[in-house]
Amino acid sequence: MKKMILPVSIFLIMSSSCAVIRPGEAGVRQTLGKFDNDVVTEGTVFYNPLTSKVIKESTQTNNIKLFLTLPSKEGLSVESEISILYRLERDKIPSVLQNLGRDYESIITSVFRSASSDVCAKFFAKDMHSGMRANIEAEIKTKMNENLKKQADGIELISVLMKSIQLPPGLASSIERKLQAEQDALRMEFVLQQAKLEADRKIIDAQGERDAQKILSEGLTDEIIQIRSIEAFNKLSSSPNTKIIVTDGKTPMLINGN
C-alpha cells in the first residue's frame, strides 16, 4: 500500500499545478501548443503541467529604447535615441502570441526601423532638430500602426519619441550660425524701431514747440504788450527796494518802441 502512495502522489502533483497572475500581468493558458481565448488578469490559474502551461505577459506600458542612424532628405545621417512606448491589449494577447510569438518586441523594432527610414527620408535633417520633430514622430507612429495591423492586432502604440538628436557637425554649425544671424537681425530691427520711435518723438516735440511759439507770437499784439508792460511796472513800483526805471514815456520797461 505504501509503495502505491508515492507514485500516486507524484502523479497528482505532476497532473495539477497553478500559476499566480500578479497585478499588471495577464495570463494565457497554452494547451498542446494552442492558446486559449480566455485571458486571466489577476489570481491563480490551475493547469495540467503535462499538457499545458501558462504564458504570462505584461499589460503595463513598456519602453523599447533604440539608438539609430536615421537618413534625411538631403542624404545626411542623423544619430538619434528613440523610445517606443507600447502596451499589449489584454483581450488580444492570444492573437499577439499566436501570430508574433513571445519575441514580439523584435517585430516592433523591425517595423519601427522600416517606418522611421521611410518617414525621415522625406524631411531635412534640420527638421528633426526643430518643431517639425513632433510631426515626424506622429507620421512614424501612424506608419508603424499600419504595418503592425498587418502582422497582428493587439499592440497599442502609445507614442514614438525621438530624443538626443545629433546632427552632423557641419550642419549643426551652419544651423547655429543661421540662428545667430537671425538673432542679430532681430536685434538690429529692434534697435532701428527704437531709433525711429525716438526720432518721431523729437519731431512731435519740435512741432509742439513750434506751434506753441506760433500761437504765442500771433497773440502778442501791441495792446497786449503795453498791458503786460504796465502790469510789470506796477509790480516793480510796489517793491520796497530802490529801483530805476527807464522808459520812453509810452511803454514802461521797453526802450525800443519798435
Side-chain angles (χ1 to χ4, degrees):
M1 187 69 179
K2 293 181 178 179
K3 293 181 180 179
M4 294 180 61
I5 293 175
L6 183 59
V8 170
S9 299
I10 294 174
F11 175 78
L12 290 175
I13 293 173
M14 293 181 63
S15 61
S16 178
S17 185
C18 66
V20 178
I21 309 300
R22 295 178 174 80
E25 291 181 337
V28 180
R29 185 185 290 108
Q30 184 181 19
T31 303
L32 298 177
K34 183 178 180 180
F35 292 100
D36 292 347
N37 292 326
D38 296 331
V39 179
V40 181
T41 53
E42 295 181 15
T44 303
V45 181
F46 292 94
Y47 63 95
N48 185 349
L50 297 178
T51 59
S52 304
K53 63 180 178 179
V54 174
I55 307 298
K56 293 187 287 185
E57 295 292 342
S58 172
T59 56
Q60 298 175 337
T61 300
N62 298 292
N63 181 17
I64 301 177
K65 291 185 178 181
L66 300 173
F67 294 89
L68 296 178
T69 301
L70 301 174
S72 66
K73 187 174 182 179
E74 62 266 59
L76 299 176
S77 298
V78 179
E79 303 291 335
S80 178
E81 178 185 353
I82 308 294
S83 284
I84 306 171
L85 302 182
Y86 78 95
R87 61 170 166 257
L88 298 179
E89 298 181 30
R90 184 187 63 187
D91 297 334
K92 298 178 180 179
I93 290 178
S95 173
V96 174
L97 295 176
Q98 185 71 37
N99 292 284
L100 303 182
R102 301 198 65 183
D103 194 22
Y104 49 83
E105 281 198 354
S106 65
I107 306 297
I108 297 175
T109 301
S110 298
V111 169
F112 171 79
R113 290 179 185 275
S114 175
S116 61
S117 296
D118 292 344
V119 172
C120 291
K122 299 188 298 183
F123 292 87
F124 292 104
K126 63 182 180 64
D127 296 335
M128 304 180 196
H129 207 273
S130 64
M132 293 293 291
R133 185 189 303 184
N135 296 338
I136 297 174
E137 293 171 346
E139 286 198 30
I140 293 175
K141 178 183 173 184
T142 300
K143 195 168 186 64
M144 285 184 67
N145 273 322
E146 294 174 357
N147 293 335
L148 284 174
K149 293 293 183 182
K150 299 175 182 178
Q151 307 295 326
D153 187 18
I155 299 176
E156 179 186 359
L157 287 177
I158 299 173
S159 61
V160 175
L161 305 175
M162 300 175 65
K163 305 182 295 183
S164 302
I165 301 296
Q166 296 182 1
L167 299 176
L171 179 60
S173 300
S174 299
I175 293 176
E176 289 178 1
R177 288 194 299 268
K178 180 182 177 182
L179 292 176
Q180 184 62 45
E182 291 176 352
Q183 292 296 322
D184 293 341
L186 291 175
R187 190 179 300 109
M188 180 58 65
E189 183 179 353
F190 175 78
V191 171
L192 292 176
Q193 287 179 350
Q194 291 298 107
K196 186 177 183 301
L197 291 175
E198 181 65 18
D200 292 342
R201 184 190 65 80
K202 291 181 178 180
I203 291 173
I204 292 172
D205 289 345
Q207 290 176 346
E209 183 68 22
R210 182 196 64 189
D211 294 343
Q213 293 294 336
K214 183 178 180 181
I215 293 172
L216 182 61
S217 62
E218 290 176 352
L220 288 178
T221 61
D222 294 340
E223 290 78 6
I224 292 177
I225 294 174
Q226 187 174 8
I227 291 172
R228 296 300 185 190
S229 300
I230 293 171
E231 290 176 352
F233 179 78
N234 288 334
K235 289 181 180 180
L236 287 173
S237 63
S238 63
S239 175
N241 299 325
T242 303
K243 59 191 73 65
I244 297 174
I245 300 175
V246 180
T247 178
D248 60 355
K250 297 179 181 179
T251 55
M253 303 296 294
L254 298 176
I255 302 303
N256 187 354
N258 296 327

